[in-house]
Amino acid sequence: MKTPFVTKEQMETVAAQYPTPFHIYDERGIRQNARRLRAAFSWNPGYREYFAVKATPTPAILRLLKEEGCGCDCSSLTELLMSERCGVTGEGIMFSSNETPAEEFLLADRLGAVINLDDITMVDFLERAIGRIPETICCRYNPGGVFTLGQSHEGFQVMDNPGQAKYGMTRPQIAEAFRRLAEKGAKRFGIHAFLASNTLSNEYYPILARTLFRLAVELKRETGIAVSFINLSGGIGIPYQPEQNENNIELIGQGVRQAFEEILVPAGMGDVALYTELGRYMLAPYGHLITRVTHEKHIYKEYIGVDACACNLMRPAMYGAYHHITVLGKEKAALDHVYDVVGALCENNDKFAIDRILPRIELGDLLAIHDTGAHGHAMGYNYNGKLRSAELLLKENGEVELIRRAETVEDYFATLVW
Ligand SMILES: *Cc1c(COP(=O)(O)O)cnc(C)c1O
């Protein structure tokens, strides 16, 4: 069962002021979740979550997470500038980019961000870009092959395919990068890897941690360099489907701790700080896209037309992703209809749901599309001249605050040359 964090009455009131569609975020849920995460890793004194800004690049969200102790994981110039304007600078920023323009390294360096090098060629590129190698530096590792959860009676459960991913350095390259960075003046090192996305398993982080902890011990032996921090990056998933189980963050923290005590502590590396760069886990469940039913169409299938479209939430069109839908005010009604819920784009993949079992929908109903807090508004675009929606924050005191206004036609026209 998925229950929305808003009611129909509440959203009708909000919609009278801020027309649909809009994204709305739940401050209480975001804060409680961030606190659970922090508690799960509190055994590691240097622990820090760097929120993956790309998931929800909105200042009110970054500031709220800053209050909960999070830094920012940035991957572009704009994200760096947004973090700076939210008061997150220095080691509060992790800059994990790839195919990075020189000017972005310059800005990251000026802000004092921790730079995470995606490739060994970036050692020379970074040195040319900023005129030196920073004292603190991180390298991204890619072990290749396929990432599995280990052997069960059903065989290996493949989680992802690092061997096909464009990111990170090979095993020989990361040792070589460490040596060259040390020669050029680096003093504090970290390693990073992102091997699977949207994982629904309490084993992902512990297995990734084992890989990185062993790597850290090997690198110390091979290069004499002991890392100061290890970044487990993103990848903890959320149950988009109502029948899926959510991850247990306490168990995940304990699994990582066990690996830490088995591998790093005996190697004399018990002072390593752990970092995470979660995006989806931090925000996705705490956002809804609220949209109004504007049309119905009865042809070869039953279609419900809404005022949002893939420009407001691209994941169903792009990945065939499931997003749960609640018809507000009909939470208890019988699920006795089958609909395709569609937006207005001139693209046949503009469907929020296909053959979805829902209560009977009427014109004017408000739908809450679930789990849109991450990679929702952030992936918005302007195809068909669609304008990006507003973003609202449902505060802990029940008030609703506008945190990004909706685009206007003037915004869309602003870059045009007439
Ligand atoms: C996207 C991304 C993240 C966040 O990933 P989630 O799956 O949202 O947790 C973290 N780190 C890097 C480098 C990323 O590109």
Side-chain angles (χ1 to χ4, degrees), residues 92-103:
I93 303 177
M94 180 68 69
F95 187 53
S96 290
S97 60
N98 69 94
E99 322 311 327
T100 313
E103 63 183 22

Side-chain angles (χ1 to χ4, degrees), residues 52 54 73 96 140 192 194 197 233-235 277-280 375:
K54 71 162 192 254
D73 163 36
S96 290
R140 183 167 183 167
H192 168 286
F194 191 162
S197 190
S233 79
E277 278 175 354
L278 298 165
R280 190 188 317 270
H375 315 296

Side-chain angles (χ1 to χ4, degrees), residues 1 45 47-48 52 74 91 98 116 200 231 276 298 302 318 328 335 357 363 369 386 389 398:
M1 255 293 276
Y47 172 74
R48 185 164 206 183
C74 299
E91 298 227 340
N98 69 94
N116 183 21
L200 271 186
N231 187 333
T276 56
H298 317 280
E302 293 296 292
M318 188 167 177
L328 292 176
L335 299 171
I357 300 172
L363 293 183
I369 303 181
K386 291 292 179 183
S389 80

Side-chain angles (χ1 to χ4, degrees), residues 137-339:
I137 196 83
C138 186
C139 291
R140 183 167 183 167
Y141 175 52
N142 180 338
V146 292
F147 185 81
T148 67
L149 273 191
Q151 196 141 31
S152 71
H153 56 282
E154 286 138 21
F156 285 102
Q157 188 188 341
V158 174
M159 298 217 75
D160 228 319
N161 216 335
Q164 300 292 326
K166 67 171 179 168
Y167 309 103
M169 305 185 196
T170 67
R171 179 63 184 78
Q173 285 175 339
I174 198 164
E176 175 63 13
F178 264 41
R179 288 194 198 93
R180 286 171 51 193
L181 287 162
E183 269 169 31
K184 291 172 186 293
K187 301 224 167 357
R188 250 180 96 235
F189 288 76
I191 49 177
H192 168 286
F194 191 162
L195 304 187
S197 190
N198 191 28
T199 61
L200 271 186
S201 158
N202 297 328
E203 289 305 307
Y204 170 63
Y205 254 20
I207 292 177
L208 169 67
R210 264 168 215 281
T211 306
L212 287 177
F213 295 169
R214 289 202 188 98
L215 174 65
V217 173
E218 289 170 20
L219 286 172
K220 187 178 170 193
R221 201 167 52 228
E222 289 166 33
T223 67
I225 298 164
V227 300
S228 304
F229 57 91
I230 294 177
N231 187 333
L232 302 174
S233 79
I236 297 186
I238 62 125
Y240 286 97
Q241 313 231 10
E243 65 276 11
Q244 290 174 319
N245 293 321
E246 49 178 2
N247 288 311
N248 181 325
I249 201 67
E250 285 78 30
L251 282 183
I252 290 173
Q254 285 312 310
V256 173
R257 179 178 200 170
Q258 209 170 33
F260 191 92
E261 285 169 357
E262 279 173 35
I263 301 168
L264 286 183
V265 173
M269 301 177 75
D271 58 349
V272 167
L274 294 184
Y275 299 158
T276 56
E277 278 175 354
L278 298 165
R280 190 188 317 270
Y281 183 76
M282 303 305 288
L283 252 296
Y286 313 108
H288 292 322
L289 172 58
I290 305 292
T291 182
R292 196 179 291 281
V293 174
T294 53
H295 298 85
E296 57 184 297
K297 183 166 173 177
H298 317 280
I299 48 169
Y300 306 101
K301 298 182 81 175
E302 293 296 292
Y303 291 96
I304 293 295
V306 295
D307 59 8
C309 67
C311 292
N312 305 110
L313 175 69
M314 195 201 243
R315 298 184 73 261
M318 188 167 177
Y319 311 117
Y322 180 96
H323 279 265
H324 198 64
I325 295 177
T326 298
V327 185
L328 292 176
K330 297 184 178 175
E331 286 83 351
K332 302 228 166 73
L335 299 171
D336 53 5
H337 284 68
V338 178
Y339 296 113

